[in-house]
Amino acid sequence: MLTMKAKYALRAMCALARAEHARRPTDPALAPRPRRERLQARTIAEHSGAPSKFLETILVDLRQAGFIDSRRGQKGGHALARPADQIMVGDLIRAIDGPLAPVRCASVSAYQACADCPDPDACSLRSLMREARDAISDVLDRRSLRELALAPDFLAALPIAEASLNLDGGLS
């Protein structure tokens, strides 16, 4: 199950991705690569619906995982560490919530045998949970942050004022 921490992290990352998208030139061949758009934590909190103090701890986790770059000071703030189309949703969720598997014995990265299972290799429940893990992973590891951030149904569900979004999906 996706935790609230992971939901807020995804929303915060989407706010940063939309800021990046809004600053891209329409024809990349005609313009130099734009500087990264930095957003203040309070702006990200407003656009993600996350409580400010909770968001600050999430931003630290995202920075430590290498997803965002943070700077202090007058021109400081937070920005994506790499382009949004190179960040997969599955990787973000794993960084915040840990393995995608519904049970430890089905995990690829954090396998732990069940104490009450005499033969994990013959366990039909483990087999089913591995299949569920593979299906979840298949979807989340193919969807980039950019795709999620710019999806119309995702934008409609965000707790932000309609006027704060440009028509092209960027923040105003």
Side-chain angles (χ1 to χ4, degrees):
M1 181 164 56
L2 196 63
T3 64
M4 283 306 295
K5 185 176 182 180
K7 285 183 182 181
Y8 288 142
L10 289 170
R11 289 177 181 173
M13 291 294 288
C14 284
L16 293 170
R18 288 190 307 275
E20 173 190 85
H21 176 75
R23 299 296 179 253
R24 281 188 176 177
T26 53
D27 184 356
L30 299 177
R33 182 172 171 86
R35 68 174 178 79
R36 283 189 236 155
E37 181 65 19
R38 295 196 177 279
L39 297 180
Q40 299 291 320
R42 74 174 170 276
T43 303
I44 298 170
E46 290 170 8
H47 289 278
S48 66
S52 294
K53 288 291 183 189
F54 191 32
L55 180 66
E56 287 179 25
T57 64
I58 293 168
L59 292 172
V60 168
D61 291 345
L62 291 169
R63 188 187 77 238
Q64 289 174 343
F67 292 112
I68 64 171
D69 177 46
S70 302
R71 298 234 171 103
R72 294 180 185 257
Q74 183 80 12
K75 294 187 178 186
H78 307 277
L80 296 178
R82 58 186 188 265
D85 56 358
Q86 295 177 15
I87 299 172
M88 296 298 126
V89 173
D91 293 333
L92 285 168
I93 293 171
R94 285 184 194 92
I96 299 298
D97 279 354
L100 298 176
V103 291
R104 288 270 184 188
C105 68
S107 177
V108 171
S109 61
Y111 172 82
Q112 186 176 9
C114 297
D116 62 340
C117 184
D119 186 4
D121 291 330
C123 180
S124 60
L125 181 58
R126 178 176 181 239
S127 177
L128 178 66
M129 293 298 112
R130 289 173 70 180
E131 194 175 328
R133 178 218 52 216
D134 291 346
I136 291 168
S137 180
D138 185 49
V139 171
L140 297 177
D141 290 338
R142 285 188 297 122
R143 180 69 56 97
S144 73
L145 174 62
R146 185 175 194 279
E147 291 172 294
L148 178 63
L150 300 178
D153 52 340
F154 182 80
L155 293 173
L158 288 176
I160 55 178
E162 198 174 302
S164 67
L165 288 175
N166 293 329
L167 292 177
D168 67 347
L171 298 174
S172 58

